[in-house]
Amino acid sequence: MRPAQLRLLTVIFCFFSIHSHSQKRFTLSGNIADKASNESLIGVTVAIQELKTGTVTNEYGFYSISIPPGEYTVIISYIGFQNVTQKINLDKDQKIDFKIEEAVELLEEVVVTDDSEKIDIKTPQMSVNTLQVETIKKIPVVLGEADVVKSLLLLPGVTNAGESSSGFNVRGGAVDQNLILLDEATIFNSSHLFGFFSVFNPDAIKDVKLYKGGIPARYGGRVSSVLEIFQKEGNSKELKVNGGIGAVASRLLVEGPIAKDKAAFLVGGRGSYAHLFLPLFDIENKAYFYDLNTKLNYRINDNNNIFLSGYFGRDVFSIADSFENTYGNSVVNFRWNHLFSDRLFSNLSLIYSDYFYGLELDFVGFEWNSGIQNFNLKYDLKNYINDKLQLNFGLNDIYYVFNPGKIKPNGPDSGIVEDQLTKKYANELAAYVDLEHQISDKLSLEYGLRFSLFNRLGQDELNVYENNNPVNFDPLLQIYQEADPIETINPGRSANLETFTNFEPRIAAAYSFNEDNSIKASATRMAQYLHLLSNTSSPTPLDVWTPSGPFVKPQLLNQYALGYFRRFNEGKFTLATEVYYKDIENRIDYIDGADLIANDAIEQVILNGEARAYGLEFLLRKNEGKFQGWLAYTLSKSEQRTRGRTITGSDGSLVQETGINNGEWYNTPYDKTHDIAIYGSYDLNKKWNFNANFVYQTGQPTNYPVGQFEFQGLTIPFFGQRNTERLPDYHRIDVSATLTPDKNRGRKWQSEWVFSIYNLYNRRNAQSIAFRQNNDTGVNEAVRTSIFGIIPAVTYNFKF
């Protein structure tokens, strides 16, 4: 953003701030919580009936609205809860807290929406989906374990690389381009058991929101999406226990008061145990996970609340006594909410996040570990200037430590020499300002600016290359090769190797034709300074994060979206359609034959390119009645290009590099032309609930050999251009039935049985196709690898 644009933004803000105080107004503010547990509620609508205006609660259940004096009807509404209507006489600033009760008759409803109230038609927020926890628990998934990430795959614009694949892809973006936040702490790997399960325990989760575009200025650091998840705070009224026993894993969550109505705790754990039965079949291999969710909250007074939350998870995979792999996330977050006034809310967060990867190979006698750590100081403020204008602003500073790998012997006879690959350090500082502005009854805007500054700090060793080029191009062989460093220097930790600064403007607008129809548009600029080094379509836990620096530039995104939104039959049906286009500068790719593991000079195999993605998203929802659900369809394209440079050869002549794929656009590994997801839930009666989903996706891009040659008695395949072939199309149907026993009524112990079948018609979807020579016939053959066929499962859930 240019200086002139910055001045214009300042003038606009000052004008509306002055205008907002030209009329006498009073402020209505307070907190909204669940009456049964005192759990704060996110996204509750506070509507002023006479003025046809309103607001919603923030991430901590706080609301504030400034309106002219007068007598008003305040309506509090939230999905699954009884509406609250209260008359007020606003003749002065007032703070009113609301405790709302669950509406028993609505507990079985399935809703996937940001908020079903009319006010959301008018807000400029777009390209956002919210999943209710009750919906996540109903969606049929493999092995019957409720899964946040697998549920996201039923939304438009969200895919992954297939069954048992780690992470998820949003609007043609890579896995590392998603910012995943659990109570504001970064999660670097969202999967257990290499993608079979996600790390999020649905029992401990309060809110799940996915931003695919139109991302507010308070978020940064990734160029594809933001997945924001908040844990429950704990029941400060009474002790509650809930859990479940499944085919391969079980879970238990306990929450209750430390000081009634003032302080509460939450502790939740999960673990898998299928490996315990393997010795019965003389199998010595193991594969299991466990995780722990914790949270403490303390209400100091009406203006101050503190929270301490944490997550710890580990996966263990071993083959007999020769191989063991351990990896997982650990995060801790201390937060302080402070209310300066009835209009100014603040949140201070101190966050530690760690991702660890460990590998022990007894048969060669060494241990290997790598990972990434960050320390995050975050301060966010929100000023509710009036009912038409809200101001968000804040600072964020993150310090990173990257451990690309350390090897050490695991025994006296190992023969391995201990070695530490060069650690890398960086600091990312950001400041932002964001305004939510209702211009008129029909037009609303959200606009803001984020400024980010990334310092690649010094390290113990740094390679220096001729012409500052770590990758050489051989014009004779027409291939890229690793360049040899001309020297290695020691800049020291106090040095600054590279500094990047970026202005990241954001703007979104909504125009409402009436209470049920609106169009929205957004433009987003974002910068990403971290890169996940992975040359597989589905990243593995072994993949390593690396920062931008002297040889790797930050990724820069421009995304544009336009959408039409409509409510039918008083909100019983909703329709959302969007088109989007995004381009990304400096998307890395790798030279042929790149070795990414234990590479202390990763810059020698990296090339900087560009990416683009565009598509159409369609989401039709039915929100009420015995039958509810949605139809999601995405038509999209995701491509990447790495063009060659013109360089001077050793003889002084100009040489044109080939780039990758001869400098032409090629499909990314996560390009899916068609993506269809249908989900439905049917309440037969109070005892039985049925759920089903159907998924269809265009086959994943891949590479097949286009020929072969003989070399010293070996048959060597060779490949053509990148990602020109595709795996067969992917599709399956999953079903489940939930039985709630009649004996639940009137007793404290509540239980249910969930019966599910994954992949009902036993479709053998291809995870990969390999080509080999048949040892018996000598004929080349293609071999399909599939992960799952039909899988039935039973889960028993309980609470008391």
Side-chain angles (χ1 to χ4, degrees):
M1 184 171 285
R2 301 286 188 267
Q5 293 173 301
L6 286 174
R7 290 194 294 271
L8 177 60
L9 184 63
T10 303
V11 170
I12 292 173
F13 168 64
C14 291
F15 170 78
F16 287 114
S17 295
I18 294 170
H19 177 71
S20 67
H21 294 286
S22 62
Q23 301 179 28
K24 186 176 181 180
R25 291 174 177 265
F26 294 117
T27 300
L28 176 67
S29 63
N31 294 278
I32 301 179
D34 183 344
K35 186 176 182 179
S37 65
N38 260 355
E39 184 85 30
S40 65
L41 298 174
I42 302 172
V44 179
T45 299
V46 181
I48 309 299
Q49 187 177 59
E50 289 78 4
L51 299 179
K52 294 184 178 180
T53 188
T55 186
V56 295
T57 56
N58 67 6
E59 292 83 355
Y60 304 97
F62 176 78
Y63 75 93
S64 178
I65 184 169
S66 296
I67 53 179
E71 293 186 358
Y72 298 108
T73 303
V74 180
I75 301 175
I76 310 297
S77 57
Y78 189 60
I79 295 298
F81 284 75
Q82 296 178 16
N83 286 0
V84 174
T85 301
Q86 182 169 321
K87 295 283 188 179
I88 64 167
N89 181 18
L90 195 64
D91 56 0
K92 61 180 179 179
D93 293 340
Q94 294 186 37
K95 185 174 183 182
I96 303 177
D97 295 337
F98 291 94
K99 301 294 177 66
I100 59 178
E101 297 183 270
E102 286 188 86
V104 177
E105 69 274 10
L106 296 179
L107 290 181
E108 299 301 319
E109 288 196 355
V110 175
V111 179
V112 177
T113 176
D114 307 335
D115 187 315
S116 66
E117 301 299 322
K118 296 179 181 178
I119 192 172
D120 270 343
I121 290 291
K122 297 182 177 181
T123 62
Q125 190 177 77
M126 64 182 302
S127 307
V128 178
N129 292 105
T130 296
L131 278 174
Q132 302 291 325
V133 175
E134 290 303 316
T135 303
I136 294 172
K137 291 181 178 181
K138 289 182 177 181
I139 293 175
V141 291
V142 65
L143 298 172
E145 292 299 310
D147 193 296
V148 172
V149 172
K150 296 294 190 296
S151 301
L152 294 174
L153 302 179
L154 297 179
L155 299 173
V158 187
T159 63
N160 72 355
E163 291 171 321
S164 77
S165 297
S166 298
F168 56 98
N169 307 105
V170 176
R171 288 186 170 177
V175 168
D176 70 313
Q177 295 173 340
N178 303 315
L179 177 63
I180 303 175
L181 301 174
L182 178 63
D183 275 353
E184 300 181 341
T186 303
I187 298 294
F188 288 99
N189 187 333
S190 63
S191 299
H192 279 311
L193 297 182
F194 307 98
F196 282 93
F197 306 99
S198 74
V199 300
F200 308 110
N201 181 350
D203 288 341
I205 290 172
K206 176 167 63 173
D207 188 72
V208 178
K209 183 175 290 186
L210 177 66
Y211 296 85
K212 299 178 294 185
I215 299 173
R218 66 180 179 273
Y219 301 107
R222 300 294 188 275
V223 295
S224 196
S225 74
V226 177
L227 175 60
E228 186 178 46
I229 299 175
F230 284 96
Q231 296 186 117
K232 294 178 180 177
E233 296 164 6
N235 191 320
S236 65
K237 291 283 189 180
E238 57 183 335
L239 184 69
K240 290 288 186 179
V241 179
N242 66 283
I245 302 172
V248 296
S250 290
R251 63 193 191 277
L252 183 69
L253 184 136
V254 182
E255 55 182 325
I258 299 173
K260 193 169 183 179
D261 294 332
K262 195 172 184 69
F265 74 91
L266 177 146
V267 179
R270 290 190 304 170
S272 65
Y273 40 71
H275 66 287
L276 299 177
F277 302 101
L278 295 180
L280 300 176
F281 305 96
D282 294 325
I283 299 176
E284 299 181 41
N285 303 340
K286 294 181 180 179
Y288 63 92
F289 74 87
Y290 56 90
D291 55 30
L292 177 70
N293 297 79
T294 62
K295 197 163 189 177
L296 299 172
N297 77 81
Y298 178 64
R299 184 181 180 88
I300 301 173
N301 52 42
D302 288 345
N303 295 329
N304 294 277
N305 294 275
I306 57 174
F307 306 85
L308 180 64
S309 60
Y311 168 84
F312 176 82
R314 280 292 181 268
D315 283 73
V316 178
F317 174 68
S318 65
I319 299 178
D321 295 324
S322 60
F323 169 94
E324 182 168 297
N325 178 206
T326 304
Y327 65 92
N329 301 276
S330 300
V331 300
V332 178
N333 183 10
F334 173 80
R335 287 178 290 167
W336 171 37
N337 291 168
H338 176 64
L339 194 62
F340 286 99
S341 70
D342 52 12
R343 295 188 184 186
L344 183 58
F345 178 92
S346 71
N347 177 69
L348 174 67
S349 297
L350 304 175
I351 307 167
Y352 170 76
S353 180
D354 172 80
Y355 175 70
F356 169 83
Y357 180 87
L359 186 63
E360 186 172 351
L361 300 175
D362 289 337
F363 65 94
V364 290
F366 76 86
E367 297 178 8
W368 165 273
N369 65 75
S370 63
I372 177 174
Q373 297 174 304
N374 74 37
F375 304 86
N376 187 355
L377 172 63
K378 189 168 174 284
Y379 194 41
D380 301 293
L381 299 100
K382 184 161 189 171
N383 189 358
Y384 298 83
I385 297 173
N386 57 43
D387 62 318
K388 306 294 184 184
L389 186 64
Q390 298 176 12
L391 172 66
N392 302 279
F393 57 103
L395 295 168
N396 189 14
D397 188 63
I398 308 175
Y399 175 74
Y400 296 98
V401 178
F402 301 84
N403 176 17
K406 181 178 181 178
I407 185 174
K408 61 180 181 180
N410 65 351
D413 302 323
S414 168
I416 298 294
V417 178
E418 184 171 327
D419 185 34
Q420 170 69 62
L421 300 184
T422 303
K423 288 188 176 181
K424 301 177 177 67
Y425 307 88
N427 194 83
E428 184 176 352
L429 176 67
Y432 74 90
V433 59
D434 190 60
L435 293 98
E436 302 171 41
H437 187 192
Q438 185 176 339
I439 304 293
S440 67
D441 289 341
K442 292 184 176 294
L443 179 63
S444 297
L445 299 178
E446 182 173 351
Y447 48 96
L449 178 67
R450 183 181 182 90
F451 171 76
S452 59
L453 183 150
F454 188 84
N455 284 322
R456 173 70 181 275
L457 304 176
Q459 59 192 53
D460 294 335
E461 293 182 352
L462 181 69
N463 292 333
V464 179
Y465 300 92
E466 185 177 358
N467 298 325
N468 203 34
N469 188 7
V471 181
N472 285 337
F473 179 74
D474 188 323
L476 181 63
L477 298 177
Q478 293 285 289
I479 60 174
Y480 287 96
Q481 298 175 327
E482 302 174 10
D484 295 323
I486 56 178
E487 66 172 318
T488 300
I489 61 175
N490 184 356
R493 292 284 305 281
S494 60
N496 187 45
L497 302 182
E498 193 83 26
T499 299
F500 302 97
T501 59
N502 282 286
F503 287 99
E504 306 172 37
R506 322 280 172 86
I507 185 168
Y511 183 82
S512 304
F513 298 102
N514 51 44
E515 295 295 325
D516 295 320
N517 292 271
S518 70
I519 56 172
K520 301 184 182 184
S522 66
T524 305
R525 171 81 167 177
M526 300 185 75
Q528 176 172 332
Y529 300 101
L530 306 188
H531 311 264
L532 184 64
L533 302 177
S534 176
N535 56 5
T536 61
S537 58
S538 175
T540 70
L542 184 58
D543 298 330
V544 175
W545 290 85
T546 193
S548 298
F551 307 109
V552 182
K553 299 177 182 178
Q555 301 178 66
L556 301 175
L557 162 83
N558 294 303
Q559 181 173 198
Y560 312 94
L562 176 67
Y564 171 69
F565 303 84
R566 183 169 182 176
R567 289 163 24 103
F568 301 91
N569 296 343
E570 298 180 348
K572 292 180 181 178
F573 294 87
T574 53
L575 171 68
T577 59
E578 292 189 36
V579 292
Y580 66 88
Y581 176 86
K582 63 181 185 180
D583 60 75
I584 299 173
E585 303 173 42
N586 305 323
R587 178 61 186 164
I588 62 173
D589 209 335
Y590 311 98
I591 66 174
D592 291 334
D595 185 7
L596 303 181
I597 300 175
N599 190 339
D600 209 13
I602 198 68
E603 66 275 4
Q604 296 176 350
V605 298
I606 289 178
L607 297 175
N608 285 298
E610 58 184 325
R612 68 183 181 188
Y614 46 91
L616 164 68
E617 295 176 357
F618 174 93
L619 180 62
L620 177 64
R621 300 187 294 246
K622 186 177 186 295
N623 301 314
E624 298 179 19
K626 283 184 171 290
F627 176 76
Q628 301 168 26
W630 67 86
L631 164 65
Y633 172 68
T634 307
L635 174 66
S636 63
K637 188 68 177 174
S638 176
E639 299 175 300
Q640 192 164 333
R641 178 170 66 178
T642 304
R643 291 186 283 194
R645 303 163 302 170
T646 301
I647 59 175
T648 303
S650 56
D651 59 356
S653 61
L654 296 179
V655 176
Q656 179 62 44
E657 296 180 351
T658 58
I660 295 177
N661 220 54
N662 293 320
E664 300 296 327
W665 290 101
Y666 55 96
N667 296 325
T668 64
Y670 22 88
D671 173 60
K672 304 287 180 71
T673 307
H674 301 284
D675 179 17
I676 301 172
I678 303 173
Y679 170 70
S681 177
Y682 180 70
D683 290 328
L684 179 63
N685 49 42
K686 293 182 178 180
K687 191 173 181 178
W688 285 100
N689 168 261
F690 298 95
N691 296 268
N693 52 256
F694 169 74
V695 175
Y696 171 88
Q697 295 177 356
T698 300
Q700 178 183 323
T702 189
N703 296 293
Y704 295 151
V706 296
Q708 64 185 35
F709 61 90
E710 298 288 332
F711 179 74
Q712 295 183 353
L714 298 175
T715 301
I716 311 298
F718 62 91
F719 297 82
Q721 295 187 330
R722 293 197 183 186
N723 294 341
T724 56
E725 307 293 338
R726 289 186 182 271
L727 295 176
D729 291 350
Y730 179 99
H731 54 86
R732 70 171 202 275
I733 290 178
D734 312 320
V735 296
S736 71
T738 302
L739 169 63
T740 304
D742 290 333
K743 60 184 179 181
N744 274 2
R745 300 170 190 171
R747 69 172 186 170
K748 189 173 182 180
W749 180 281
Q750 300 287 304
S751 64
E752 66 179 19
W753 290 91
V754 181
F755 308 93
S756 64
I757 301 177
Y758 179 86
N759 197 356
L760 181 64
Y761 52 83
N762 199 30
R763 164 76 174 178
R764 307 298 295 186
N765 287 297
Q767 184 70 12
S768 64
I769 293 181
F771 293 82
R772 69 185 184 190
Q773 188 178 56
N774 189 296
N775 291 331
D776 296 327
T777 65
V779 177
N780 291 338
E781 60 184 7
V783 180
R784 173 187 297 202
T785 300
S786 299
I787 304 297
F788 295 124
I790 183 172
I791 300 181
V794 179
T795 302
Y796 176 72
N797 297 320
F798 60 89
K799 62 181 178 180
F800 58 89

